[in-house]
C-alpha cells in the first residue's frame, strides 16, 4: 500500500478519520524557503468541516502543528512533518455497521484486500484523509506563489446546475470564496445551494464537477512518455476519494470535434485557443492548465439501502451520522493541493534537467558570478589587511613575519591538494596576496613602489627565518594582541551572512594565524 506521492517533491500521509490525528511528511523542500504556517492554516480552513449547512456538522478546528523541518519560519531542507489532531470524532454511529459493507464506500474492497478494516468513519478511506493532502499542498502553493504560479479551483456544476464553459479571464475567482459552494457565479451558486439542501432533506446527496486552473506555468514541464504532466495530474486527481472522471482542456468534447476545430493554432502572440488545456505531448505549453474532475454523490445517505455483511448475509441499512450532502465545495482545496504538488514536483525535475544541459552562455555566466565573488572576497581581505596595518603601526610591530608566511603557504598547498588544485599555482597566488597585504599594511593602500621585503618561495622564506626585525620591548602582551585583533576582525565581518562566512576562509585565516602563532615567541604574533 503506497501512502507516498511524488518523486522529487514528495508527501507521505498518515492517519484515519477517527484516529487520534492525521498528518503529512513533506520532503524535497529546499532550505531557506519562507514557510508561512498561517497560509497552510488558511488552506485547512477552506477544507475543514462544519463551515455551513451544506457540509457535515462535524466540528473540527483542523489547526496544524509543526513537528519538524521548519525553524524561524524557514525550511531547513529536512523533512517537514505537520500534524492535525482530531477533536470531534464520534464513532458511536458506526458500531452497528462494523460487519456491514456500506454501498458506494470502500468497505467491501478494503475488507477483501486486507482482511480487516477500520469501520470508524471509513478509516483511511474517509474524506478526512485529505487533511494531509492539503497540508502538503499548502506548502506546494507557497513555493509556487514565489514563482508567480497560481492554482485556483471552483465548482462548475452541482446536480443539474452548471455555469458552463467560460474563458479563464472571465472567471470571478474572488466570488467563489463568498459563497459556501465555491462557485464563481453568484446566481448559479444560490441555485446549487438549493439543490444540495433539497437532496439533504430527501436523505440523499448530489455530485458535480470541479474545475482547476493553473496559471503562470512555465513551458516544458512534464516528460514523455509515461511521465506526462497530464498523466501525473490525472493520477493525482483520481487518488482523491469520490473522483470518478478527469478531463484536460476540452476533454471528452474533442471526440466530437474535427482536427481543424480542436487544434490550437499559433500566432506571433502565442496560441489562439486552449483546447489542449495547456499541455501538448504531455509537456506544458505555458498556457493555463485547465482540469475538470467529476465528483460522485456522497455515498453516505440516510435512505434505506440493500447490502450484505462480511458473512454474505443480506442486510438493509440506513446510514446515520454527520456527512456532506455534496462533496464538491470541500474537495476544491484538496484538488488544488494535489495539482500544486504535481507542478512543484515537475519543476524540481525540470531544474535537474536544465542543470545537466547548461549552454556555453550559462557556463560563462556562472564563471562571471564566481569571479565577482572572488573580487568581493578580495576586497574584504584588503580591508582586513588595512586593519592589521593600523594595529601594527599602533603597537610598533614588524610587518614582515617569514615564519608565519611559510606556515600559511604550506597550509594552502595542503588545501589545494584536497580540492584537486595545482599546488604550485596556489602558492604563487598566495605569495602575491601576501606581498599585496604587506604593501597595504605599510602604506594603508595598495600603492606601488613601496620598498619592503617581498615574500618569494618557501625555500627563500626558510633561508630568511631567524633574521626577522626585532620587536620593541614596549610590545603589548600576547593576551592583549589576541583580544584586540579578534575584535578588529569581528567588527570588519559585521553584516556578512553565514554563506559568505563559509565561502571565505581568508578572514578566518587571520584569526587562525593569531591563535596558532608560537606563544613562546611574542615576535611571531604578526599576521599577514
Amino acid at each position: 500500500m503506497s501512502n507516498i506521492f511524488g518523486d522529487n517533491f514528495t508527501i507521505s500521509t498518515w492517519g484515519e478519520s477517527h484516529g487520534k490525528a492525521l498528518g503529512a511528511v513533506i520532503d524535497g523542500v529546499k532550505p531557506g524557503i519562507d514557510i508561512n504556517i498561517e497560509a497552510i492554516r488558511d488552506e485547512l480552513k477552506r477544507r475543514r468541516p462544519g463551515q455551513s449547512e451544506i457540509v457535515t456538522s462535524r466540528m473540527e478546528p483542523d489547526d496544524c502543528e509543526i513537528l519538524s523541518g521548519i525553524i524561524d519560519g524557514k525550511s531547513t531542507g529536512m523533512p517537514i512533518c505537520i500534524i492535525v489532531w482530531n477533536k470531534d470524532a464520534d464513532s458511536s454511529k458506526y458500531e452497528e455497521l462494523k460487519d456491514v459493507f456500506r454501498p458506494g464506500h470502500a468497505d467491501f474492497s478494503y475488507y477483501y484486500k486486507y482482511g480487516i478494516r477500520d469501520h470508524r468513519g471509513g478509516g483511511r478511506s474517509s474524506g478526512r484523509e485529505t487533511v494531509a493532502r492539503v497540508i502538503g499542498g499548502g506548502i506546494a502553493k507557497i513555493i509556487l506563489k514565489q514563482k508567480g504560479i497560481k492554482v485556483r479551483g471552483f465548482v462548475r456544476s452541482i446536480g443539474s446546475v452548471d455555469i458552463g464553459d467560460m474563458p479563464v479571464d472571465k472567471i470571478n475567482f474572488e466570488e467563489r470564496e463568498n459563497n459556501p459552494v465555491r462557485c464563481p457565479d453568484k446566481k448559479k451558486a444560490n441555485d446549487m445551494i438549493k439543490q444540495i439542501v433539497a437532496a439533504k432533506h430527501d436523505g440523499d446527496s448530489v455530485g458535480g464537477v470541479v474545475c482547476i486552473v493553473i496559471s503562470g506555468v512555465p513551458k516544458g514541464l512534464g516528460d514523455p512518455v509515461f511521465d506526462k504532466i497530464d498523466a501525473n495530474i490525472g493520477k493525482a486527481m483520481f487518488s482523491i476519494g469520490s473522483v470518478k472522471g478527469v478531463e484536460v482542456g476540452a476533454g471528452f468534447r474533442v471526440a466530437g470535434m474535427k482536427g481543424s476545430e480542436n487544434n490550437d493554432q499559433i500566432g506571433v502572440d502565442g496560441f489562439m485557443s486552449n483546447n489542449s488545456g495547456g499541455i501538448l505531448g504531455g509537456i506544458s505549453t505555458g498556457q493555463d492548465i485547465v482540469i475538470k474532475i467529476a465528483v460522485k454523490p456522497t455515498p453516505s445517505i440516510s435512505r434505506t439501502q440493500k447490502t450484505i455483511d462480511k458473512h454474505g448475509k443480506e442486510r438493509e441499512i440506513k446510514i446515520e451520522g454527520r456527512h456532506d450532502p455534496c462533496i464538491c465545495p470541500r474537495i476544491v482545496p484538496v484538488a488544488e493541493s494535489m495539482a500544486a504538488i504535481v507542478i512543484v514536483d515537475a519543476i524540481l525535475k525540470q531544474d535537474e534537467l536544465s542543470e545537466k544541459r547548461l549552454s556555453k552562455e550559462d557556463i560563462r555566466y556562472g564563471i562571471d558570478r564566481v569571479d565577482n565573488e572572488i573580487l568581493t572576497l578580495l576586497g574584504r581581505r584588503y580591508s582586513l589587511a588595512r586593519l592589521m596595518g593600523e594595529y601594527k603601526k599602533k603597537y610598533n610591530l614588524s610587518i614582515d613575519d617569514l615564519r608565519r608566511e611559510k606556515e600559511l603557504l604550506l597550509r594552502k598547498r595542503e588545501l589545494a591538494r584536497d580540492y584537486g588544485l595545482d599546488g604550485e599555482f596556489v602558492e604563487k597566488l598566495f605569495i602575491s596576496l601576501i606581498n599585496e597585504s604587506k604593501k597595504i599594511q605599510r602604506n594603508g593602500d595598495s600603492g606601488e613602489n613601496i620598498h619592503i621585503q617581498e615574500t618569494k618561495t618557501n625555500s627563500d622564506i626558510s633561508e630568511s627565518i631567524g633574521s626577522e626585525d626585532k620587536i620593541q620591548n614596549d610590545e603589548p602582551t600576547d593576551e592583549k594582541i589576541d583580544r584586540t585583533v579578534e575584535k578588529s576582525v569581528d567588527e570588519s565581518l559585521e553584516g556578512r551572512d553565514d554563506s559568505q562566512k563559509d565561502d571565505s576562509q581568508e578572514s578566518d585565516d587571520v584569526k587562525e594565524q593569531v591563535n596558532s602563532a608560537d606563544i613562546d615567541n611574542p615576535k611571531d604574533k604578526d599576521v599577514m
Side-chain angles (χ1 to χ4, degrees):
M1 179 172 64
S2 176
N3 295 291
I4 301 173
F5 185 85
D7 295 317
N8 297 281
F9 180 87
T10 65
I11 62 164
S12 177
T13 70
W14 52 271
E16 292 86 31
S17 177
H18 288 213
K20 288 188 176 181
L22 305 99
V25 177
I26 303 96
D27 211 347
V29 181
K30 294 180 180 179
I33 294 177
D34 291 324
I35 304 294
N36 181 4
I37 190 64
E38 292 305 320
I40 299 173
R41 289 192 173 111
D42 287 343
E43 292 297 325
L44 287 169
K45 287 177 183 177
R46 296 175 66 215
R47 194 223 70 93
R48 74 175 180 84
Q51 298 181 40
S52 69
E53 65 171 339
I54 63 169
V55 300
T56 172
S57 58
R58 179 173 173 174
M59 298 301 294
E60 293 285 357
D62 282 353
D63 191 19
C64 59
E65 178 182 350
I66 298 171
L67 300 185
S68 68
I70 299 173
I71 185 167
D72 296 330
K74 291 185 179 292
S75 60
T76 64
M78 300 298 106
I80 296 173
C81 184
I82 298 179
I83 188 172
V84 170
W85 298 96
N86 284 331
K87 300 290 187 180
D88 190 31
D90 179 7
S91 304
S92 61
K93 302 294 184 181
Y94 293 93
E95 286 305 312
E96 62 185 40
L97 301 174
K98 187 174 183 179
D99 297 327
V100 179
F101 302 132
R102 296 170 298 168
H105 283 275
D107 302 348
F108 183 90
S109 52
Y110 265 52
Y111 180 78
Y112 279 98
K113 180 175 179 63
Y114 300 108
I116 189 173
R117 67 181 180 89
D118 186 347
H119 65 283
R120 305 166 304 166
R124 189 79 174 131
S125 66
S126 167
R128 181 126 183 91
E129 167 267 330
T130 59
V131 165
R133 298 170 185 255
V134 174
I135 292 172
I139 291 178
K141 279 188 170 185
I142 289 172
I143 295 171
L144 293 180
K145 184 178 181 180
Q146 295 170 4
K147 297 178 180 294
I149 300 173
K150 296 180 181 179
V151 182
R152 297 169 292 179
F154 61 91
V155 173
R156 170 182 161 143
S157 71
I158 287 178
S160 61
V161 182
D162 192 335
I163 66 174
D165 290 322
M166 64 175 68
V168 172
D169 59 359
K170 299 296 183 183
I171 299 171
N172 187 352
F173 285 102
E174 299 300 322
E175 175 59 32
R176 65 182 177 141
E177 296 299 328
N178 293 333
N179 60 77
V181 288
R182 292 203 165 85
C183 175
D185 184 311
K186 186 175 182 179
K187 183 180 182 304
K188 295 284 187 179
N190 290 329
D191 294 338
M192 291 176 182
I193 292 171
K194 291 176 183 177
Q195 288 227 345
I196 295 173
V197 172
K200 181 179 179 180
H201 288 164
D202 289 341
D204 218 330
S205 61
V206 287
V209 173
V210 168
C211 185
I212 306 296
V213 179
I214 313 170
S215 304
V217 180
K219 304 177 184 70
L221 298 187
D223 296 272
V225 169
F226 299 114
D227 208 13
K228 296 178 178 180
I229 192 75
D230 43 352
N232 289 335
I233 290 174
K235 178 181 179 180
M237 296 301 146
F238 274 123
S239 74
I240 305 170
S242 298
V243 174
K244 304 304 291 183
V246 178
E247 287 188 340
V248 179
F252 280 91
R253 287 196 294 112
V254 301
M257 292 181 178
K258 295 179 180 178
S260 57
E261 297 171 320
N262 178 58
N263 292 342
D264 297 316
Q265 298 185 57
I266 310 172
V268 293
D269 295 325
F271 290 90
M272 300 179 184
S273 57
N274 193 17
N275 289 319
S276 69
I279 302 170
L280 288 171
I283 299 172
S284 62
T285 65
Q287 295 174 277
D288 292 328
I289 293 178
V290 182
I291 308 294
K292 291 190 287 292
I293 58 174
V295 183
K296 74 177 186 180
T298 314
S300 294
I301 59 176
S302 59
R303 287 191 175 191
T304 300
Q305 301 177 85
K306 293 183 178 181
T307 186
I308 60 172
D309 61 25
K310 68 179 184 179
H311 305 293
K313 294 182 179 179
E314 291 184 350
R315 301 281 296 271
E316 284 191 350
I317 61 171
K318 285 180 63 175
I319 299 175
E320 298 181 6
R322 302 167 297 183
H323 308 287
D324 293 85
C326 181
I327 299 170
C328 294
R330 293 207 297 137
I331 211 172
V332 169
V334 179
E336 290 177 354
S337 293
M338 293 307 296
I341 291 166
V342 171
I343 299 301
V344 172
D345 195 32
I347 288 173
L348 293 179
K349 190 169 186 179
Q350 184 65 21
D351 286 347
E352 286 185 356
L353 178 62
S354 298
E355 289 172 4
K356 292 177 181 177
R357 61 172 191 179
L358 290 174
S359 67
K360 181 174 64 177
E361 289 71 23
D362 292 330
I363 296 171
R364 283 177 173 170
Y365 174 74
I367 291 173
D368 289 343
R369 288 191 63 183
V370 172
D371 288 344
N372 290 338
E373 291 174 9
I374 291 173
L375 290 174
T376 300
L377 295 174
L378 194 59
R380 292 188 178 122
R381 195 184 199 281
Y382 282 8
S383 296
L384 290 170
R386 278 189 287 273
L387 281 173
M388 187 58 69
E390 293 171 4
Y391 177 82
K392 288 180 177 179
K393 287 178 182 179
K394 179 178 180 180
Y395 292 106
N396 199 24
L397 303 179
S398 172
I399 287 177
D400 299 314
D401 185 353
L402 300 182
R403 186 186 303 278
R404 180 57 52 210
E405 293 169 20
K406 180 180 180 180
E407 292 175 357
L408 175 63
L409 294 177
L410 285 173
R411 281 202 305 273
K412 299 311 177 188
R413 263 188 172 273
E414 291 175 0
L415 282 173
R417 185 173 60 250
D418 293 341
Y419 286 109
L421 302 174
D422 184 340
E424 184 177 348
F425 165 76
V426 171
E427 182 176 296
K428 290 179 180 178
L429 174 64
F430 276 91
I431 286 173
S432 297
L433 288 172
I434 290 170
N435 288 333
E436 189 69 14
S437 291
K438 288 180 180 181
K439 291 180 183 180
I440 294 171
Q441 290 180 33
R442 179 78 68 180
N443 198 44
D445 200 352
S446 56
E448 298 179 356
N449 303 320
I450 303 171
H451 180 68
I452 61 173
Q453 179 178 349
E454 288 194 347
T455 295
K456 299 187 182 300
T457 64
N458 262 313
S459 58
D460 296 328
I461 293 173
S462 298
E463 293 174 2
S464 303
I465 291 177
S467 61
E468 298 98 334
D469 294 338
K470 298 295 181 180
I471 300 176
Q472 296 184 9
N473 291 332
D474 62 350
E475 179 184 343
T477 64
D478 295 347
E479 181 179 357
K480 186 173 181 181
I481 291 175
D482 283 344
R483 198 165 54 245
T484 307
V485 174
E486 289 277 0
K487 182 180 179 182
S488 298
V489 172
D490 288 340
E491 288 176 351
S492 72
L493 294 177
E494 286 184 0
R496 291 178 57 192
D497 58 37
D498 292 339
S499 62
Q500 291 169 328
K501 291 179 183 178
D502 291 338
D503 289 341
S504 172
Q505 294 298 317
E506 289 304 325
S507 299
D508 292 335
D509 283 341
V510 174
K511 291 185 179 182
E512 182 182 350
Q513 293 169 37
V514 172
N515 294 332
S516 63
D518 187 356
I519 59 175
D520 295 330
N521 186 357
K523 305 178 185 65
D524 288 337
K525 287 291 183 178
D526 297 349
V527 181
M528 290 301 105

